[in-house]
């Protein structure tokens, strides 16, 4: 190969209302959004394959990963309606150091979880815990804790 992959720059999520998402991600995870940028024009339309695309975008840094929030002003997109089993569905998994504290704190801040934390009991990841929650647009996120020690 004539190139090498040096890392992941960001993961992008399209949201309905960037300000609402900023408030939610800040309240839930204590992150601060970066500057808001805007895009439109033929090159953007071609690159994102959305005719008439006009959008705003901003990065939120979570640990060592940038999460890009995109809000399409034109055209208006459909609401999220996928499940984890649908092809192309994706989620962001955030590693936490204390699952019980994270779950309780997030519930107190208004998070909506799909269910309580699950502990893996078999295999190489036995003792790890995970739980899925949804952001204001219904986009699935996950919190994860490896076994302590």
């Amino acid at each position: 190969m004539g190139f090498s992959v040096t890392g992941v720059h960001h993961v992008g999520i399209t949201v309905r209302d960037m300000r609402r998402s900023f408030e939610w991600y800040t309240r839930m995870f204590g992150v601060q959004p970066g500057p808001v940028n805007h895009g439109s024009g033929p090159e953007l339309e071609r690159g994102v394959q959305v005719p008439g695309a006009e959008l705003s975008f901003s990065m939120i840094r979570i640990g060592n990963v940038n999460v890009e929030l995109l809000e399409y002003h034109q055209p208006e997109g459909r609401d999220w309606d996928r499940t984890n089993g649908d092809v192309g569905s994706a989620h962001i998994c955030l590693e936490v150091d204390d699952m019980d504290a994270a779950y309780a704190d997030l519930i107190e801040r208004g998070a909506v979880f799909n269910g309580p934390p699950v502990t893996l009991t078999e295999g190489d990841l036995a003792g790890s815990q995970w739980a899925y929650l949804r952001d204001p647009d219904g986009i699935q996120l996950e919190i994860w804790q490896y076994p302590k020690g």
Side-chain angles (χ1 to χ4, degrees), residues 110-122:
V112 176
F113 281 85
N114 296 358
V118 174
T119 301
L120 301 177
T121 60
E122 298 178 19

Side-chain angles (χ1 to χ4, degrees), residues 27-121:
R27 181 168 36 95
M28 291 297 145
F29 305 113
V31 298
Q32 295 300 314
V36 176
N37 302 283
H38 305 282
S40 64
E43 291 177 349
L44 175 70
E45 292 177 35
R46 185 173 43 257
V48 297
Q49 295 187 321
V50 177
E54 295 178 21
L55 59 83
S56 297
F57 59 98
S58 181
M59 299 285 183
I60 291 176
R61 185 86 173 163
I62 302 176
N64 64 342
V65 175
N66 291 309
V67 176
E68 179 185 34
L69 300 181
L70 302 105
E71 178 184 344
Y72 279 77
H73 305 291
Q74 294 294 326
E76 184 174 336
R78 294 183 304 264
D79 286 337
W80 178 253
D81 66 351
R82 303 288 165 222
T83 70
N84 278 321
D86 291 325
V87 173
S89 289
H91 66 275
I92 296 173
C93 181
L94 306 175
E95 189 174 340
V96 298
D97 60 356
D98 185 324
M99 178 61 72
D100 294 334
Y103 183 75
D105 286 353
L106 290 168
I107 292 275
E108 187 175 299
R109 295 176 195 166
V112 176
F113 281 85
N114 296 358
V118 174
T119 301
L120 301 177
T121 60

